Short mmCIF file of all heavy atoms in Angstrom, two decimals:
data_model
loop_
_atom_site.label_atom_id
_atom_site.label_comp_id
_atom_site.label_asym_id
_atom_site.label_seq_id
_atom_site.Cartn_x
_atom_site.Cartn_y
_atom_site.Cartn_z
N GLY A 1 98.39 101.33 81.52
CA GLY A 1 97.44 101.41 80.44
C GLY A 1 96.11 102.07 80.84
O GLY A 1 95.93 102.46 82.04
N TYR A 2 95.28 102.34 79.93
CA TYR A 2 93.96 102.96 80.29
C TYR A 2 92.96 101.96 80.60
O TYR A 2 93.18 100.88 80.85
CB TYR A 2 93.65 103.83 78.97
CG TYR A 2 94.41 105.02 78.74
CD1 TYR A 2 95.74 104.87 78.14
CD2 TYR A 2 94.08 106.31 79.12
CE1 TYR A 2 96.63 105.97 77.92
CE2 TYR A 2 94.84 107.42 78.95
CZ TYR A 2 96.15 107.23 78.32
OH TYR A 2 96.95 108.31 78.14
N TYR A 3 91.71 102.50 80.64
CA TYR A 3 90.49 101.62 80.95
C TYR A 3 90.24 100.61 79.83
O TYR A 3 90.38 101.05 78.67
CB TYR A 3 89.29 102.49 81.22
CG TYR A 3 89.32 103.22 82.45
CD1 TYR A 3 89.24 104.67 82.43
CD2 TYR A 3 89.33 102.56 83.73
CE1 TYR A 3 89.23 105.31 83.60
CE2 TYR A 3 89.34 103.37 84.83
CZ TYR A 3 89.30 104.68 84.87
OH TYR A 3 89.28 105.46 86.02
N PRO A 4 89.94 99.38 80.09
CA PRO A 4 89.59 98.44 79.00
C PRO A 4 88.31 98.89 78.34
O PRO A 4 87.19 98.90 79.00
CB PRO A 4 89.37 97.09 79.74
CG PRO A 4 90.04 97.27 81.04
CD PRO A 4 89.90 98.65 81.40
N ASP A 5 88.31 99.26 77.01
CA ASP A 5 87.15 99.74 76.37
C ASP A 5 86.02 98.82 76.39
O ASP A 5 84.85 99.14 76.37
CB ASP A 5 87.52 100.19 74.91
CG ASP A 5 88.29 101.45 74.87
OD1 ASP A 5 88.35 102.17 75.82
OD2 ASP A 5 88.91 101.70 73.75
N TYR A 6 86.36 97.42 76.32
CA TYR A 6 85.34 96.49 76.10
C TYR A 6 84.34 96.26 77.32
O TYR A 6 83.33 95.56 77.20
CB TYR A 6 85.92 95.14 75.73
CG TYR A 6 87.04 94.67 76.50
CD1 TYR A 6 86.85 94.01 77.77
CD2 TYR A 6 88.36 94.91 76.07
CE1 TYR A 6 87.91 93.59 78.45
CE2 TYR A 6 89.43 94.45 76.83
CZ TYR A 6 89.20 93.75 78.03
OH TYR A 6 90.31 93.35 78.79
N TYR A 7 84.65 96.86 78.46
CA TYR A 7 83.79 96.88 79.53
C TYR A 7 82.46 97.66 79.25
O TYR A 7 81.44 97.35 79.83
CB TYR A 7 84.41 97.36 80.86
CG TYR A 7 85.43 96.40 81.47
CD1 TYR A 7 85.85 95.26 80.92
CD2 TYR A 7 85.98 96.72 82.77
CE1 TYR A 7 86.78 94.41 81.55
CE2 TYR A 7 86.85 95.91 83.34
CZ TYR A 7 87.21 94.75 82.79
OH TYR A 7 88.20 93.90 83.36
N PHE A 8 82.61 98.76 78.53
CA PHE A 8 81.53 99.60 78.16
C PHE A 8 81.09 100.51 79.29
O PHE A 8 81.23 101.79 79.28
CB PHE A 8 80.34 98.85 77.55
CG PHE A 8 79.36 99.77 76.88
CD1 PHE A 8 79.56 100.37 75.65
CD2 PHE A 8 78.09 100.00 77.45
CE1 PHE A 8 78.60 101.18 74.97
CE2 PHE A 8 77.19 100.92 76.84
CZ PHE A 8 77.44 101.43 75.60
N ILE A 9 80.57 99.94 80.36
CA ILE A 9 80.12 100.59 81.55
C ILE A 9 80.33 99.79 82.76
O ILE A 9 80.08 98.52 82.66
CB ILE A 9 78.64 101.05 81.57
CG1 ILE A 9 78.39 101.90 80.38
CG2 ILE A 9 78.24 101.71 82.82
CD1 ILE A 9 76.84 102.23 80.26
N THR A 10 80.86 100.28 83.87
CA THR A 10 81.10 99.63 85.14
C THR A 10 82.24 98.67 85.20
O THR A 10 82.64 97.96 84.25
CB THR A 10 79.75 98.93 85.66
OG1 THR A 10 79.65 97.62 85.02
CG2 THR A 10 78.54 99.67 85.39
N ALA A 11 82.82 98.57 86.46
CA ALA A 11 83.90 97.76 86.82
C ALA A 11 85.28 98.24 86.30
O ALA A 11 86.32 97.69 86.67
CB ALA A 11 83.67 96.29 86.43
N GLU A 12 85.30 99.24 85.52
CA GLU A 12 86.56 99.80 84.99
C GLU A 12 87.43 100.39 86.05
O GLU A 12 88.69 100.27 86.01
CB GLU A 12 86.35 100.83 83.88
CG GLU A 12 85.89 102.14 84.40
CD GLU A 12 84.40 102.34 84.57
OE1 GLU A 12 83.68 101.35 84.52
OE2 GLU A 12 83.91 103.47 84.86
N GLU A 13 86.81 100.97 87.07
CA GLU A 13 87.56 101.51 88.18
C GLU A 13 88.28 100.40 89.02
O GLU A 13 89.47 100.62 89.41
CB GLU A 13 86.67 102.25 89.17
CG GLU A 13 85.79 103.30 88.54
CD GLU A 13 84.38 102.80 88.32
OE1 GLU A 13 84.15 101.52 88.08
OE2 GLU A 13 83.41 103.56 88.48
N ILE A 14 87.59 99.24 89.22
CA ILE A 14 88.23 98.21 89.83
C ILE A 14 89.44 97.63 89.15
O ILE A 14 90.53 97.42 89.65
CB ILE A 14 87.21 97.06 90.16
CG1 ILE A 14 86.10 97.55 90.99
CG2 ILE A 14 87.88 95.87 90.76
CD1 ILE A 14 84.90 96.69 91.29
N ASP A 15 89.28 97.54 87.83
CA ASP A 15 90.37 97.01 86.92
C ASP A 15 91.52 97.99 87.02
O ASP A 15 92.68 97.44 87.21
CB ASP A 15 89.75 97.00 85.52
CG ASP A 15 90.69 96.27 84.58
OD1 ASP A 15 91.82 96.82 84.28
OD2 ASP A 15 90.41 95.22 84.05
N LEU A 16 91.38 99.27 86.90
CA LEU A 16 92.51 100.13 86.91
C LEU A 16 93.08 100.28 88.28
O LEU A 16 94.33 100.36 88.42
CB LEU A 16 92.03 101.58 86.35
CG LEU A 16 93.20 102.53 86.34
CD1 LEU A 16 94.27 102.13 85.35
CD2 LEU A 16 92.65 103.93 85.94
N SER A 17 92.30 100.28 89.27
CA SER A 17 92.92 100.37 90.60
C SER A 17 93.76 99.23 90.95
O SER A 17 94.81 99.37 91.64
CB SER A 17 91.68 100.42 91.69
OG SER A 17 91.01 99.28 91.67
N LEU A 18 93.45 98.04 90.53
CA LEU A 18 94.28 96.84 90.71
C LEU A 18 95.61 97.03 89.98
O LEU A 18 96.72 96.65 90.55
CB LEU A 18 93.60 95.56 90.21
CG LEU A 18 92.39 95.12 90.98
CD1 LEU A 18 91.64 93.93 90.29
CD2 LEU A 18 92.67 94.68 92.41
N ARG A 19 95.59 97.55 88.84
CA ARG A 19 96.85 97.73 88.01
C ARG A 19 97.70 98.87 88.66
O ARG A 19 98.93 98.77 88.66
CB ARG A 19 96.48 98.02 86.65
CG ARG A 19 95.95 96.81 85.93
CD ARG A 19 95.67 97.11 84.44
NE ARG A 19 94.32 97.73 84.23
CZ ARG A 19 94.18 98.84 83.50
NH1 ARG A 19 95.13 99.43 82.87
NH2 ARG A 19 92.91 99.31 83.37
N VAL A 20 96.98 99.90 89.12
CA VAL A 20 97.75 100.94 89.79
C VAL A 20 98.49 100.50 91.00
O VAL A 20 99.75 100.74 91.18
CB VAL A 20 96.80 102.19 90.13
CG1 VAL A 20 97.46 103.10 91.07
CG2 VAL A 20 96.35 102.83 88.87
N LEU A 21 97.83 99.75 91.96
CA LEU A 21 98.42 99.14 93.10
C LEU A 21 99.58 98.23 92.73
O LEU A 21 100.59 98.17 93.40
CB LEU A 21 97.36 98.49 93.97
CG LEU A 21 96.31 99.43 94.58
CD1 LEU A 21 95.27 98.61 95.20
CD2 LEU A 21 96.91 100.39 95.56
N ASP A 22 99.38 97.47 91.67
CA ASP A 22 100.39 96.48 91.17
C ASP A 22 101.62 97.18 90.69
O ASP A 22 102.65 96.53 90.79
CB ASP A 22 99.76 95.60 90.09
CG ASP A 22 100.51 94.32 90.04
OD1 ASP A 22 100.66 93.56 91.05
OD2 ASP A 22 100.84 93.81 88.88
N GLU A 23 101.54 98.35 90.23
CA GLU A 23 102.73 99.19 89.76
C GLU A 23 103.38 99.81 90.96
O GLU A 23 104.37 100.55 90.74
CB GLU A 23 102.27 100.14 88.71
CG GLU A 23 101.86 99.51 87.42
CD GLU A 23 103.07 98.87 86.60
OE1 GLU A 23 104.31 99.17 86.98
OE2 GLU A 23 102.87 98.03 85.68
N GLY A 24 102.87 99.69 92.09
CA GLY A 24 103.51 100.33 93.33
C GLY A 24 103.05 101.72 93.64
O GLY A 24 103.63 102.39 94.44
N PHE A 25 101.98 102.20 93.01
CA PHE A 25 101.45 103.55 93.26
C PHE A 25 100.28 103.36 94.37
O PHE A 25 99.79 102.30 94.68
CB PHE A 25 100.92 104.12 92.04
CG PHE A 25 101.94 104.58 91.06
CD1 PHE A 25 102.32 103.77 90.05
CD2 PHE A 25 102.66 105.72 91.27
CE1 PHE A 25 103.32 104.06 89.10
CE2 PHE A 25 103.69 106.06 90.45
CZ PHE A 25 103.96 105.22 89.31
N GLU A 26 99.88 104.50 94.89
CA GLU A 26 98.95 104.53 96.00
C GLU A 26 97.60 105.13 95.52
O GLU A 26 97.72 106.02 94.63
CB GLU A 26 99.46 105.34 97.18
CG GLU A 26 100.71 104.76 97.80
CD GLU A 26 101.50 105.77 98.67
OE1 GLU A 26 101.19 106.95 98.64
OE2 GLU A 26 102.40 105.30 99.35
N ILE A 27 96.62 104.65 96.07
CA ILE A 27 95.21 105.29 95.93
C ILE A 27 94.79 105.69 97.31
O ILE A 27 94.78 105.01 98.30
CB ILE A 27 94.14 104.28 95.40
CG1 ILE A 27 94.63 103.64 94.10
CG2 ILE A 27 92.85 104.81 95.14
CD1 ILE A 27 93.83 102.50 93.61
N ILE A 28 94.55 106.99 97.40
CA ILE A 28 94.24 107.55 98.69
C ILE A 28 92.88 108.31 98.63
O ILE A 28 92.62 109.06 97.83
CB ILE A 28 95.41 108.50 99.22
CG1 ILE A 28 96.71 107.71 99.29
CG2 ILE A 28 95.09 109.17 100.56
CD1 ILE A 28 97.85 108.65 99.74
N TYR A 29 92.03 108.10 99.74
CA TYR A 29 90.88 108.84 99.94
C TYR A 29 91.20 110.10 100.77
O TYR A 29 91.82 110.03 101.78
CB TYR A 29 89.83 107.98 100.62
CG TYR A 29 88.63 108.81 101.17
CD1 TYR A 29 87.60 109.12 100.33
CD2 TYR A 29 88.57 109.22 102.52
CE1 TYR A 29 86.51 109.87 100.84
CE2 TYR A 29 87.52 109.90 102.98
CZ TYR A 29 86.45 110.22 102.15
OH TYR A 29 85.46 110.93 102.61
N PHE A 30 90.78 111.23 100.22
CA PHE A 30 90.97 112.50 100.92
C PHE A 30 89.65 113.18 101.17
O PHE A 30 88.91 113.60 100.24
CB PHE A 30 91.77 113.49 100.10
CG PHE A 30 93.28 113.06 99.93
CD1 PHE A 30 93.74 112.54 98.71
CD2 PHE A 30 94.12 113.22 100.98
CE1 PHE A 30 95.09 112.14 98.58
CE2 PHE A 30 95.46 112.83 100.85
CZ PHE A 30 95.96 112.34 99.66
N PRO A 31 89.25 113.27 102.39
CA PRO A 31 87.95 113.92 102.72
C PRO A 31 87.87 115.44 102.35
O PRO A 31 86.80 115.96 102.37
CB PRO A 31 87.87 113.75 104.28
CG PRO A 31 89.16 113.63 104.77
CD PRO A 31 89.94 112.96 103.62
N ASP A 32 89.00 116.13 102.26
CA ASP A 32 89.02 117.50 101.97
C ASP A 32 88.94 117.85 100.50
O ASP A 32 88.97 119.04 100.09
CB ASP A 32 90.19 118.22 102.67
CG ASP A 32 91.62 117.68 102.14
OD1 ASP A 32 91.63 116.46 101.72
OD2 ASP A 32 92.54 118.27 102.22
N ILE A 33 88.92 116.83 99.65
CA ILE A 33 88.68 117.16 98.21
C ILE A 33 87.24 116.75 97.91
O ILE A 33 86.96 115.51 97.70
CB ILE A 33 89.65 116.26 97.33
CG1 ILE A 33 91.19 116.71 97.66
CG2 ILE A 33 89.45 116.55 95.84
CD1 ILE A 33 92.23 116.01 96.87
#
């Protein structure tokens, strides 16, 4: 799903990151991007 609209501003990244990890996908920090 997308970002929860009702947050308006802030914390949406935390919400989506939890769901992405829960679906078995990875979040990776790349210093070269």
Side-chain angles (χ1 to χ4, degrees):
Y2 288 78
Y3 290 118
D5 287 347
Y6 48 83
Y7 283 9
F8 191 72
I9 300 173
T10 78
E12 76 276 8
E13 307 99 325
I14 298 173
D15 188 294
L16 182 58
S17 66
L18 293 173
R19 289 180 280 133
V20 166
L21 294 172
D22 201 50
E23 289 289 346
F25 291 97
E26 299 165 348
I27 304 171
I28 301 179
Y29 167 81
F30 290 107
D32 57 335
I33 299 178

